[in-house]
Amino acid sequence: MKEAAMPVYSSLRIRENDAGHIRAWKKRTAEKLLVLRGALDAHIADASGGDSAMPVPERNGRQWLRLATWNLREFDTPKYGGRLKESLYFIAEIISHFDIVALQEVREDLGSLRVLMEFLGEHEWGYIATDVTEGSSGNRERMVFVFQKNRVRFTSIAGEVVLDKSDVVTDFSAICFRDTSGLNVEFPEGSLFSHSGDVPVVKSKGKTFLQNDLEIPLPEGTRIVLPKGSSLVLPRAAEVPVSAATGQVELDFSVHKAWSKQAMVRPPADALTGVGLQFARSPFLVTFQAGWLKFILCTVHIYYGTGREGMVRRNEEIRKLTRFLSKRAESEHDSDAENFFFVLGDFNIVGKEHVTWQSLHSNGFRVPDQLRKIPVGSNVARDKAYDQIAFWQQPVAPHPGATFIDVGNAGIFDYFRYVFRRGADDPDGEDELYYAEKTKKYKLTYKEWRTYQMSDHLPMWIELRTDFGADYLSAVSVSD
């Protein structure tokens, strides 16, 4: 078995001048880390792709790479006080059991990421990050790869995926009209707007803000004044009046109404949203090598959205991504058949029978059987298939002695059974009581608050073989 590189825990050493509550915190954190470390070791040793009947092979750490993906919820948001120091220790301990981890939802402020890297050991670990994604859907998030330098080598290529204009995401359900100077709307007399059902809101400083877009049907007779730069568009073959004097098309808007049923209005380009969209959060593509294995990782955080309209765009992003990457993979395969494409991250896939799962498997991509067989999900409730790792299947079998994608064991680790426990995992209620003041201060339930300390997603991982020396030598030994 490959031993995890131990994080740097020197700041937990108890010092003579430590106050009593500091000593107690250090001892408690150390005890929790010991439990978490033992649980991770057992989880990885016992992993068998979800089939308990399968024997678990011993893994030589020098021959296998452990690849993981983890959405770290709003890492790190200050709105609920930010991550506690012990939370960063717990996250570092989990990451240390893998060789390379794709992280999603890393926010603009890299302060907590830098602390995390200090705990992991900056000489042993490195990271590569994107800039933030702008726009309301982007949430100013970054994509990040964290990796062990002595196990994985960055091979100098990194970039964000940008779709060609001919292949952009078009979210017809999200096409909206706006006026940057403010909509000039006239409502029928007596109009009253209300919305049935729950509307997710956030309250801050005495004000209430929407968490998601809210769509309210307008009453018949509503009038909107178009902004400067708008055009009237009459379709081909529309009948139009012609001036007897000049022979030119001449519209007297006060008289001629016959064209109105066919007419369209084209507002200026900056007045429309949802047309020609790139990804809500730019996918991040990076090249690496571990041992004999060369691979290209693309990490993603697919648009979520709400309702039917949100699902349409979510699914289209997955389809457009796999199509883009399959074209790149085919091109790469033509020049280097031993360089392999993986896509991993938070796809917001509803389930393994859902159209979003089918879209991930389009264009030659496939989730390994070892992950597919795991019956539970990667969200905290374990009922959604949000996070996935998939690879592009090469069209032809590798020649003898060549490297190929050989997936070993796989798993999803549920850390909430050991830290920030609740319910049956914390029968005495010790963890919930310990953090009671924190949850009271921020007026959140403990169940919700703890997801801002760790996450509302669980880390997913697979093993990949990196040593193909014996295969190569065997092929040479029997060659003519």
Side-chain angles (χ1 to χ4, degrees), residues 177 182-188 193 218-219 221-226:
F177 164 80
L183 281 179
N184 188 345
V185 185
E186 296 179 10
F187 299 106
F193 295 95
L218 293 173
T222 299
R223 297 183 178 186
I224 298 178
V225 177
L226 296 173

Side-chain angles (χ1 to χ4, degrees), residues 1 25 51 65 125 167 197 227 254 316 344 364 371-372 376 391 432:
M1 295 293 294
W25 175 84
D51 186 349
L65 175 82
W125 288 81
D167 203 33
S254 65
E316 188 174 6
L344 70 168
L371 281 179
R372 185 175 53 81
V376 290
F391 63 90
E432 188 165 355

Side-chain angles (χ1 to χ4, degrees), residues 12-50:
L12 288 176
R13 183 168 65 89
I14 294 178
R15 306 174 189 275
E16 288 186 10
N17 60 345
D18 280 345
H21 71 283
I22 297 296
R23 286 173 174 261
W25 175 84
K26 288 181 175 180
K27 290 181 65 175
R28 185 181 189 276
T29 300
E31 290 169 359
K32 289 291 185 180
L33 284 167
L34 284 170
V35 172
L36 186 62
R37 167 170 289 208
L40 276 158
D41 288 341
H43 165 76
I44 291 169
D46 293 344
S48 59

Side-chain angles (χ1 to χ4, degrees), residues 1-2 57-62 64 66 407-409 463:
M1 295 293 294
K2 180 180 78 69
E58 283 293 316
R59 295 299 188 201
N60 182 329
R62 298 185 61 182
W64 294 86
R66 208 168 287 144
V407 180
N409 295 328
E463 290 175 331

